[in-house]
């Protein structure tokens, strides 16, 4: 894998998120990317015979609109990898049925919106470190989170997905800070990946 493979992965990811395919088509296309792309976060040994990612069944109730309230302050998260300490600025807090979720802006060149979530399924049904609703730096626009008029957002938890470190320890991932850890289970989106090295 080289830098151009990673660039191509991000381009294909952005195109998939911005496509007009339905949820089933989205999941099938994501599986194919994971199975065949050289920049897949899956270890190479896991790609042969890869059956696809595990998902909760689609849930229309996992699509909600939430009002936003202002938030302020900056948090730093040490990923432990080559990124080191990354600064995140609070953009707003979404008042969701699951609890308040902070929307973060990555304070780096170009920036990007980032919404990590750890919920009541984490560590049992889903990855213990939590999942992402959106990370626009990685091209995940327009499905998990959509900005609406009137200081509101539409959240679709059917698109919650695992960070790359859920598949292989060679990846470093920022995880949900304490304020984005919810006790309520969100039984939507991607399930835990059954890693062979565990």
């Amino acid at each position: 894998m080289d830098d151009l493979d990673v660039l191509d992965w991000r381009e294909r990811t952005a195109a998939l998120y911005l496509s007009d395919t339905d949820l089933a088509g989205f999941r099938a296309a994501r599986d194919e990317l994971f199975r065949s792309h050289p920049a897949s976060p899956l270890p190479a040994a896991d790609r042969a015979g890869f059956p696809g990612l595990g998902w909760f069944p689609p849930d229309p109730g996992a699509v909600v609109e939430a009002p936003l309230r202002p938030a302020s302050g900056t948090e730093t998260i040490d990923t432990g990898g080559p990124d080191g300490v990354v600064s995140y600025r609070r953009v707003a807090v979404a008042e969701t049925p699951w609890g308040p979720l902070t929307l973060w802006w990555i304070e780096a060149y170009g920036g990007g919106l980032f919404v990590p979530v750890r919920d009541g399924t984490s560590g049992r049904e889903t990855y213990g470190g939590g999942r992402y609703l959106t990370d626009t730096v990685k091209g995940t626009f327009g499905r998990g989170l959509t900005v609406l008029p009137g200081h509101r957002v539409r959240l679709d938890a059917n698109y919650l997905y695992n960070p790359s470190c859920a598949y292989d320890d060679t990846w470093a991932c920022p995880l949900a800070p304490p304020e984005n850890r919810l006790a309520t289970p969100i039984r939507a989106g991607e399930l835990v990946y059954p890693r062979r090295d565990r």
Side-chain angles (χ1 to χ4, degrees):
M1 176 175 61
D2 65 22
D3 294 338
L4 295 178
D5 290 332
V6 174
L7 178 66
D8 185 65
W9 171 270
R10 289 185 181 175
E11 183 178 329
R12 289 174 189 241
T13 297
L16 175 59
Y17 272 79
L18 293 169
S19 72
D20 62 359
T21 187
D22 63 6
L23 180 61
F26 171 88
R27 289 177 174 182
R30 185 165 158 84
D31 283 346
E32 184 54 35
L33 266 177
F34 270 68
R35 181 180 297 109
S36 63
H37 199 281
S40 169
L42 290 179
D46 287 7
R47 294 180 200 168
F50 173 62
L53 299 169
W55 299 88
F56 283 103
D59 180 6
V63 182
V64 300
E65 289 188 13
L68 296 174
R69 63 176 162 84
S72 63
T74 300
E75 179 102 0
T76 59
I77 298 173
D78 188 344
T79 64
D83 292 338
V85 176
V86 180
S87 294
Y88 299 84
R89 177 175 41 86
R90 290 171 184 88
V91 173
V93 176
E95 297 293 350
T96 80
W98 311 296
L101 278 178
T102 299
L103 282 58
W104 299 89
W105 189 261
I106 299 171
E107 295 279 86
Y109 176 76
L113 190 65
F114 179 55
V115 183
V117 179
R118 185 174 173 183
D119 66 274
T121 67
S122 298
R124 291 180 292 280
E125 297 167 279
T126 63
Y127 179 59
R131 299 173 289 167
Y132 296 169
L133 195 54
T134 194
D135 181 358
T136 62
V137 168
K138 301 290 177 71
T140 60
F141 310 95
R143 287 197 182 247
L145 183 146
T146 307
V147 177
L148 302 173
H151 304 288
R152 299 177 64 76
V153 288
R154 178 181 178 270
L155 306 174
D156 188 340
N158 291 295
Y159 290 95
L160 279 167
Y161 64 96
N162 292 329
S164 298
C165 56
Y167 313 106
D168 189 341
D169 290 335
T170 60
W171 298 93
C173 303
L175 302 176
E179 63 199 80
N180 277 31
R181 295 178 187 170
L182 309 173
T184 303
I186 305 174
R187 290 192 170 86
E190 192 175 343
L191 296 165
V192 68
Y193 177 69
R195 287 172 48 165
R196 294 181 187 180
D197 61 353
R198 291 190 181 148

